[in-house]
Structure formats: C-alpha cells, structure tokens
Amino acid sequence: MPFPCCRHQISFVSGQLLPTVLAAGLPGAEPACVHGIVTPEMKAHGRILREALESRGRRYREHELRDSGQQGIFDLLDAVRESCAEESLGLNLTGGTKLMALAAAEWAWACEVPTFYVDTGADTIVLPGRQWEYLPLPDMLDVRGLLAAGGYKVKSLEQTAVPGERRNQLRELLELLCTAPDAAPALQSLNACARMATHQADRMAEDRATPTGTWRRLLDICQRAGMLHYANGWLCFPSEEARTWCNGLWFEEYVRMILYKMQCEGRIRAWGASVQVEKAGVPNELDALFCVRNRLFIVECKTAGMHTDRKTDEGRNRVSSMLYKADSLQDRLGGAFAQSMICSVLPLESREQKRARDIGIRVASGRELLQLDEIFTRWASRS
C-alpha cells in the first residue's frame, strides 16, 4: 500500500513537531495544506509548526480543540473535513494524547479517511488497517529543517571546505596534542598567550612557557599556518582571527574539515559549523552539528579549561557549565531527536565522564579524536 497522497493532512499538535513536518514533506506526497488540531496548552507549538511548514512551502490552518472528549474531537474533525470542500484528506495519528489518537482513529475509520503514523525511532511510516503496512521513512531534513522543527531560526552557519594548505597542519596539530606526554601544559600556554594578547593593541604576548620540544613544535605548526609569529621571547598574532584560531578555533576548524569530508562521502546528510541560532529572540551559538536519518547531532568542541583547576570552585564550575550547556542544547534543539557529544582535546577525569554518561552526553577526547570521522559514524549509526 503506498502512502496516501492527499491534498490535506490533519495532525494533532504536540511538543514533538518533527513527525508532522516529516509527513508534510514526503517526496511525491506533499499536501497543499496541513490542518493543526491545537489545544490551548499547545498554542506556542502551533506557532512553531506554522513557521516550520510555511518555510517549506506548505499552507497551515489551525483549529482549536477546546473539548478533548470523544464527541468534541469528532465534531472538530467533521468541521475540518467540511472545510476541505471534498478534497482528499489524510490523518496523522502521531501527535496528541493517546485518547485523542484513539478517538481520531475511530473517526477516520467511520469516515473512510486514510491514517498513518510516523515512527521516527524506527525510521518507519505505519499505515494502520486490517493488516498494517510499513514504509521506510526517507532521510529528508537538513540541519535548517531540523532546527526549524524545534523553533530555531538559523542566522548564520559555516559549510565551506577548510583550505587545502591548512588541512595537514590541523592534522599535525591535533596529533601532537593528542599524543605528546606534555601536551596539556603546552596547549594551556598557547591558550594563555592568546588570551593575554586580547588586551594588547599589537596582539603580542610574552612567552612564559616551559621551552619543551612539544611547545616549540606547537609554535612551529601555528607559525606555518600563518597564525602567529614568535621571536625573542614574544608571540605575535597577526590578526584577531589568528588569535582566536590559536585560542581554540583551530579545533572547531578541524571538526569542520571532518564533517565536510563525511558529507562528501555520503555518511551524513548535512552539517554546519559556527552555527548562530535564535529562538524567541534569544541567541545561541553551536560549535558544530550534523544530521542523518532526520536526527540532529550536536558537537561541542573544547581545547582548554577541562584539564586544570578541577579541585577549585572555578574548575568545577567550568566543567559543570560545559556539561549543562551540552545537556540543555540537546533538550532544547531536538528533544528525543537530538543528541550531544563533547569533543575535548584534553581528557576529562573519570568522574566527569561518568557524569556526562549519566545525563546522556557522549565524550570523545585524546587519541580518540584522531579517528573522529569513525566516532561520528558509529555515534550516528547507533542512534
């Protein structure tokens, strides 16, 4: 049995809008209009749904459900059907409460209106009947579409390739900092110099680091990348962009390089880096994210602040803040359809890793990052 191609779809608006957005965008079966059945408590979600659908070229009409009893649901569905002027109609059973879905299914059976259920967990569309049919759910939504389903507007994002001449330097930089025994103090010294240079008009900072082989190699890589100059005990950053790159943006660029490669290889559908989003006028910034199978995967990149001062209030607060941000982003950006990972060049302590696991945040650090594309692939395939 094929998916019912109808001019109109009815959907009960709930806290999870993704199934409605997906059903309205199925290739070859897109409705002209989606009718949202909205209780007073779901008005805000109705507004988000309207924006998400209209941005994808679908019309949206809202119908308020004040009586959620069986007869109240029957009466409202009758009114919606009448407003469709005998054009074809389908009913999405995914949203609303269980009792609403039961009443709606009974109404649809009596009125011979085709129904369907979008099972995002199983990547399946269910067509109920005397014998249920199962259809594969296509991978349809990109990063912007998934964020829109959560009520977020994308203000800007980066999707360009990393310049070819810098890719080897990024790999060399990460390999050094993930394998050298004294990588932590060298990386912390670079971050400290970059922060110190913030307050100098010429963006210079005194080199106070212990002159180890790792420190000298780190400076050499950054200089070859054109991001700093060092001589006579001083570091100079040629631009503000170079200073921020040395202060950790290089790792975000590395992640960007990996995601670009994964999309070219067909392992992910879409991605974005340095993503600026806004919801209800409140801005937020995401280091990186990607999507596959209509799921959103959020990546937080860390190069410093995770390995020192853990016994101080400042250190503990810094780690708590990082975990809280990853957890809250996961909930707010996609709920059950989003997951978060912290990628930290310097490893977290075991108790911090346990805390991350307890709240459902994945962690990748140290040598693991040298196979970051494989980590992302396994993460996405298990979700």
Side-chain angles (χ1 to χ4, degrees):
M1 182 190 301
F3 184 83
C5 299
C6 302
R7 289 279 296 170
H8 301 265
Q9 286 182 7
I10 301 176
S11 182
F12 286 82
V13 177
S14 65
Q16 292 292 350
L17 303 176
L18 184 58
T20 300
V21 175
L22 289 170
L26 289 169
E30 301 93 335
C33 181
V34 174
H35 298 261
I37 307 299
V38 184
T39 62
E41 296 78 16
M42 287 291 141
K43 280 286 189 179
H45 292 286
R47 289 191 291 272
I48 294 173
L49 180 60
R50 177 187 296 278
E51 292 182 3
L53 291 174
E54 291 181 348
S55 70
R56 302 182 67 80
R58 305 277 80 80
R59 286 192 293 118
Y60 175 78
R61 292 186 60 188
E62 192 163 282
H63 308 267
E64 187 167 355
L65 179 65
R66 294 187 176 276
D67 177 6
S68 57
Q70 181 191 45
Q71 192 58 51
I73 292 173
F74 282 7
D75 291 344
L76 184 55
L77 291 175
D78 283 337
V80 173
R81 183 177 60 165
E82 185 176 347
S83 73
C84 295
E86 299 186 357
E87 292 184 331
S88 56
L89 180 66
L91 176 63
N92 188 342
L93 295 172
T94 315
T97 66
K98 291 182 176 66
L99 290 178
M100 289 177 188
L102 285 171
E106 185 178 351
W107 174 87
W109 179 82
C111 298
E112 298 184 338
V113 171
T115 61
F116 58 91
Y117 182 93
V118 181
D119 186 347
T120 52
D123 298 322
T124 301
I125 302 169
V126 183
L127 304 179
R130 187 171 295 275
Q131 184 170 351
W132 287 13
E133 300 275 348
Y134 299 87
L135 304 176
L137 178 63
D139 187 353
M140 297 184 295
L141 294 183
D142 60 11
V143 165
R144 290 180 183 272
L146 286 165
L147 288 170
Y152 285 85
K153 295 180 180 179
V154 176
K155 310 302 288 186
S156 66
L157 79 167
E158 180 66 68
Q159 292 178 313
T160 59
V162 173
E165 64 273 11
R166 198 147 67 227
R167 294 173 200 164
N168 287 336
Q169 291 156 353
L170 287 170
R171 294 189 188 97
E172 187 180 356
L173 188 56
L174 185 64
E175 184 170 1
L176 171 68
L177 294 172
C178 288
T179 59
D182 55 348
L187 179 55
Q188 290 156 12
S189 294
L190 179 63
N191 290 333
C193 288
R195 288 193 301 270
M196 202 183 314
T198 306
H199 310 290
Q200 306 299 323
D202 51 7
R203 291 182 298 275
M204 292 186 67
E206 185 178 359
D207 180 3
R208 300 174 182 173
T210 303
T212 63
T214 298
W215 174 242
R216 286 190 291 270
R217 284 186 60 196
L218 179 57
L219 294 182
D220 178 62
I221 296 169
C222 293
Q223 179 162 269
R224 283 190 280 114
M227 296 301 176
L228 65 76
H229 305 293
Y230 67 96
N232 302 320
W234 289 86
L235 277 64
C236 177
F237 302 92
S239 66
E240 177 59 20
E241 291 74 19
R243 189 196 66 78
T244 57
W245 189 88
C246 290
N247 197 35
L249 196 62
W250 67 269
F251 185 47
E252 292 183 34
E253 192 173 69
Y254 180 86
V255 172
R256 182 177 125 211
M257 178 180 73
I258 295 298
L259 293 177
Y260 185 92
K261 174 175 175 283
M262 291 179 69
Q263 186 184 35
C264 290
E265 295 171 346
R267 288 197 270 176
I268 58 176
R269 175 176 174 78
W271 65 280
S274 301
V275 185
Q276 303 282 341
V277 297
E278 182 181 279
K279 182 175 183 178
V282 179
N284 213 321
E285 182 176 358
L286 313 170
D287 292 341
L289 41 79
F290 66 92
C291 62
V292 61
R293 300 190 344 270
N294 305 305
R295 291 164 170 80
L296 199 61
F297 297 86
I298 307 157
V299 181
E300 281 287 293
C301 303
K302 300 296 176 186
T303 61
M306 304 298 299
H307 195 72
T308 57
D309 298 327
R310 290 196 182 107
K311 296 181 180 179
T312 67
D313 289 340
E314 180 185 358
R316 286 191 294 268
N317 290 340
R318 191 182 294 126
V319 174
S320 296
S321 176
M322 176 208 64
L323 293 173
Y324 172 77
K325 181 184 177 184
D327 187 34
S328 62
L329 283 175
Q330 178 173 286
D331 291 339
R332 288 185 282 119
L333 289 174
F337 309 109
Q339 297 187 46
S340 291
M341 177 183 287
I342 293 169
C343 293
S344 176
V345 175
L346 302 178
L348 279 68
E349 285 187 346
S350 57
R351 61 182 177 183
E352 293 156 0
Q353 294 184 27
K354 180 181 183 302
R355 185 176 170 194
R357 287 194 300 269
D358 290 344
I359 59 178
I361 306 299
R362 287 167 172 78
V363 175
S365 62
R367 290 176 180 267
E368 292 179 291
L369 301 179
L370 300 177
Q371 286 82 43
L372 193 56
D373 57 339
E374 297 301 327
I375 289 175
F376 285 164
T377 299
R378 290 195 299 271
W379 181 29
S381 66
R382 293 172 182 170
S383 302

